[in-house]
Amino acid sequence: MTEGLTYEESMKDVVEWARKTVQPDDFWVDVGANFGYITFCLLMRNKVRGSMMIEPFPVGPLANMMLPIAALDETKVVTMYEVKDFPEMNSVIDRRGGTPSQVPATTLDEILKDVEGPIVLKMDCEFIEPLIWKGMQKILPKVRAMCIEYFPDILENDAKLDPRQFMAEIVAAGFKPEGTGYNIFFSR
């Protein structure tokens, strides 16, 4: 989330992208759904073939509609840090003094193995997007478009992940990046 903006203001570009990108035959996947705002806004206007929200710490009125698991590069139990008064920052990287919790994690390949394409997904997972990317290689042929939160400095300095390699891998998989903010939109 951008400093000084409400969550809704900071997600306006993502909502607009989802509304113009998602088609009726798409399966929508919201990875790092938080309280489900993007999915709620999308489904108020767009018809989709199906949808899924993935959030290891489900909150809000849509919490019972979320898959309570972390998406990662392998199946395991992982320590995540829950930030009660700032839930947008729950992560496997403790940047805000969160409370550690053990949560189940698996790959998007496993979660979405039975979902037919095309898939459109949003990934806002607090600086572990490159790890999630590694765990979704089998479903890539089914993915038509994606929005990925991208903070290169934090990826490199805090998460110890290479943001340039991450972006190069996405482009090499046939996706064209658009946008210059902290949300990058990809299409084929």
Side-chain angles (χ1 to χ4, degrees):
M1 188 170 87
T2 303
E3 295 294 325
L5 296 178
T6 66
Y7 182 81
E8 291 79 7
E9 291 167 336
S10 71
M11 293 291 115
K12 183 178 179 184
D13 63 332
V14 178
V15 170
E16 289 173 2
W17 168 82
R19 285 179 172 165
K20 77 175 187 181
T21 302
V22 175
Q23 302 297 313
D25 64 334
D26 289 331
F27 191 92
W28 168 254
V29 182
D30 190 345
V31 186
N34 197 319
F35 57 91
Y37 178 76
I38 305 298
T39 297
F40 177 77
C41 289
L42 171 68
L43 297 180
M44 290 296 292
R45 288 207 187 151
N46 294 52
K47 291 186 190 297
V48 296
R49 180 171 44 87
S51 66
M52 178 182 294
M53 293 181 285
I54 301 168
E55 174 57 51
F57 296 106
V59 295
L62 302 178
N64 65 336
M65 299 168 65
M66 296 180 193
L67 183 60
I69 195 166
L72 272 177
D73 56 342
E74 62 182 314
T75 299
K76 63 183 179 180
V77 174
V78 64
T79 300
M80 291 195 69
Y81 298 89
E82 184 176 11
V83 183
K84 293 280 187 198
D85 49 342
F86 200 42
E88 303 86 74
M89 296 303 293
N90 295 336
S91 180
V92 297
I93 301 166
D94 188 12
R95 297 186 72 238
R96 299 254 182 182
T99 304
S101 296
Q102 298 296 301
V103 298
T106 195
T107 66
L108 288 181
D109 284 338
E110 180 61 28
I111 294 169
L112 300 173
K113 67 183 176 191
D114 296 326
V115 173
E116 298 295 323
I119 295 171
V120 176
L121 65 86
K122 179 222 69 159
M123 190 186 315
D124 180 349
C125 301
E126 303 316 312
F127 326 118
I128 59 168
E129 290 82 3
L131 298 178
I132 297 168
W133 170 258
K134 288 179 183 177
M136 60 181 280
Q137 298 305 296
K138 292 177 185 172
I139 66 160
L140 280 182
K142 298 189 272 187
V143 177
R144 186 174 68 73
M146 322 181 274
C147 170
I148 298 178
E149 181 183 53
Y150 184 68
F151 286 96
D153 292 345
I154 296 172
L155 286 173
E156 189 165 41
N157 298 324
D158 294 354
K160 307 298 184 219
L161 300 168
D162 186 343
R164 289 162 295 284
Q165 178 184 342
F166 176 44
M167 199 56 61
E169 288 174 7
I170 296 171
V171 171
F175 290 95
K176 177 184 165 196
E178 299 173 27
T180 57
Y182 62 91
N183 289 307
I184 307 293
F185 307 106
F186 297 91
S187 60
R188 293 190 196 240

